[in-house]
Amino acid sequence: MRSSTKLVVVIPAYNEEEMLPVTIPAMSEVLDRMVRTGKISSSSKLLFVDDGSKDKTWLLIQQYQQINDFVSGISFSKNYGHQNALLAGLNVSKDADVVITIDADLQDDINAMEEMVDRYLEGYDVVYGVRNSRETDTFFKRNSALFFYKLMDKMGAKTIQNHADFRLMSRRSVDALLQYPERNVFLRGIVPQVGFKSINVYYARNERKAGTSKYPLGKMIKFALDGITSFSTTPLRMIFWLGVITLTMSVVFIANTLIQHLRGNTSVGWSSLMLSIWFVGGAQLISAGILGEYLGKVFFEVKRRPRFNIAEDLYTNK
């Protein structure tokens, strides 16, 4: 029995010429298996989004499209970032009944896609791919990720712990997601807000087989800051309480100074003066930086610039 359910797998790719010859056959095999078992339509696609790569990534996508019916792709005019690449794939694949997003590095278990489709066929609109361990991560990355998820939770931003951007979404959940107009995109926080019936699928994460990570430390820190400032106003409240604490301490210091003056014990206190200046100055700079982060986000949002520009589209113009 053949299924009419069209699945599109959206795969961001940035300088992945080393991975694509491994990724495309492996993912094609999974799709072919699901087609043969009647879970998805034979019109299902692997939609690669070339995020302004500087190597042969786009050329390889074009070549594979000629010999592999599953392969299609779009190419950005420049690098717009991972989250915008995911959104572009969701925008372009409007004829899909269900969409799975996954990275090109094969670190996420591609065999879990079949279980995701099974959960979708059971009636779930959103299926999150969740890592069951972080044994393949370095000590720093494992603990920094744990800290990030706990921090997001404390600040009131709902995320799925140990879930990146490996997920399945039904047509109606994708349509709901695309109604969110913000330019500062953090999909891990937005998707849970969309709602609909959801479930987790657990898998073991693999090591990258070729190429290099596209998320070095600098990008990871920026990504974490974007997530926090896009979904929580807690840092702004922290500025207020920092001001309250500083003011309270100042009153205590003033009272102590007056008491010591009345007792005749006053003396020039260079150390205490320097500590006070450094403390207040540091607090002011941190506060200004947090306010600047939020103001910068407002600055980019009000401009309403396009999230991305597509230079070539093999999916729509097939």
Side-chain angles (χ1 to χ4, degrees):
M1 179 179 178
R2 292 191 175 275
S3 173
S4 60
T5 300
K6 180 174 182 177
L7 166 67
V8 173
V9 183
V10 175
I11 311 154
Y14 177 66
N15 293 341
E16 294 287 6
E17 66 175 348
E18 295 179 64
M19 274 304 305
L20 291 184
V22 181
T23 299
I24 291 175
M27 289 192 178
S28 297
E29 184 180 341
V30 174
L31 260 61
D32 184 60
R33 184 170 68 239
M34 287 193 281
V35 170
R36 285 187 281 107
T37 54
K39 293 181 180 180
I40 62 174
S41 165
S42 58
S43 63
S44 298
K45 293 291 182 182
L46 298 172
L47 176 56
F48 289 89
V49 183
D50 176 27
D51 187 17
S53 298
K54 302 185 186 307
D55 61 4
K56 297 179 181 178
T57 295
W58 181 239
L59 177 62
L60 284 171
I61 293 170
Q62 291 174 306
Q63 291 175 345
Y64 272 100
Q65 194 231 4
Q66 299 298 319
I67 60 175
N68 187 325
D69 290 337
F70 286 127
V71 176
S72 188
I74 58 176
S75 176
F76 281 170
S77 60
K78 71 178 190 69
N79 178 252
Y80 285 97
H82 181 269
Q83 299 291 283
N84 285 320
L86 291 174
L87 278 175
L90 296 176
N91 266 289
V92 169
S93 58
K94 295 244 178 114
D95 59 338
D97 300 300
V98 59
V99 179
I100 291 177
T101 57
I102 186 173
D103 289 340
D105 55 17
L106 292 186
Q107 289 190 274
D108 296 320
D109 184 6
I110 58 175
N111 293 303
M113 293 195 296
E114 187 164 3
E115 186 179 352
M116 288 179 166
V117 172
D118 289 338
R119 300 291 86 78
Y120 164 74
L121 295 174
E122 290 172 3
Y124 291 94
D125 285 283
V126 181
V127 184
Y128 298 103
V130 179
R131 298 173 61 172
N132 55 20
S133 72
R134 284 189 169 269
E135 294 178 358
T136 58
D137 286 348
T138 63
F139 175 83
F140 173 77
K141 189 170 183 180
R142 181 166 57 251
N143 287 278
S144 61
L146 182 63
F147 173 76
F148 169 71
Y149 286 115
K150 286 185 176 180
L151 183 62
M152 290 289 288
D153 184 61
K154 292 291 185 183
M155 291 193 172
K158 182 181 178 183
T159 57
I160 308 298
Q161 187 166 338
N162 289 325
H163 162 71
D165 287 298
F166 182 28
R167 67 179 73 88
L168 174 148
M169 299 184 72
S170 67
R171 177 75 266 152
R172 66 172 180 169
S173 63
V174 170
D175 289 341
L177 173 64
L178 293 177
Q179 293 180 36
Y180 286 68
E182 56 251 51
R183 267 53 186 166
N184 297 287
V185 182
F186 184 69
L187 291 175
R188 298 181 200 184
I190 297 176
V191 173
Q193 291 190 2
V194 170
F196 298 113
K197 191 177 180 182
S198 66
I199 193 172
N200 296 344
V201 164
Y202 295 90
Y203 68 96
R205 188 167 170 86
N206 305 311
E207 293 185 2
R208 174 181 271 271
K209 292 181 172 58
T212 57
S213 172
K214 304 306 181 295
Y215 262 92
L217 179 61
K219 279 192 174 182
M220 287 174 60
I221 294 173
K222 181 181 182 300
F223 187 69
L225 286 173
D226 284 342
I228 292 169
T229 54
S230 294
F231 283 89
S232 175
T233 57
T234 300
L236 296 175
R237 295 194 189 99
M238 289 170 63
I239 292 175
F240 169 77
W241 288 110
L242 180 61
V244 170
I245 293 169
T246 304
L247 179 62
T248 302
M249 292 176 64
S250 299
V251 171
V252 172
F253 289 146
I254 290 170
N256 181 62
T257 300
L258 290 173
I259 292 171
Q260 295 303 322
H261 177 73
L262 293 173
R263 290 179 176 178
N265 296 328
T266 54
S267 60
V268 178
W270 184 88
S271 297
S272 59
L273 178 63
M274 288 297 102
L275 286 172
S276 299
I277 291 174
W278 280 102
F279 175 77
V280 175
Q284 288 176 332
L285 288 173
I286 291 171
S287 301
I290 294 174
L291 289 170
E293 187 70 25
Y294 280 93
L295 183 61
K297 279 186 164 27
V298 173
F299 174 74
F300 284 111
E301 289 291 341
V302 298
K303 284 178 177 290
R304 310 300 295 169
R305 289 175 176 171
R307 297 185 181 113
F308 49 82
N309 289 312
I310 297 174
E312 295 186 64
D313 184 349
L314 302 178
Y315 187 88
T316 306
N317 304 318
K318 51 195 171 186

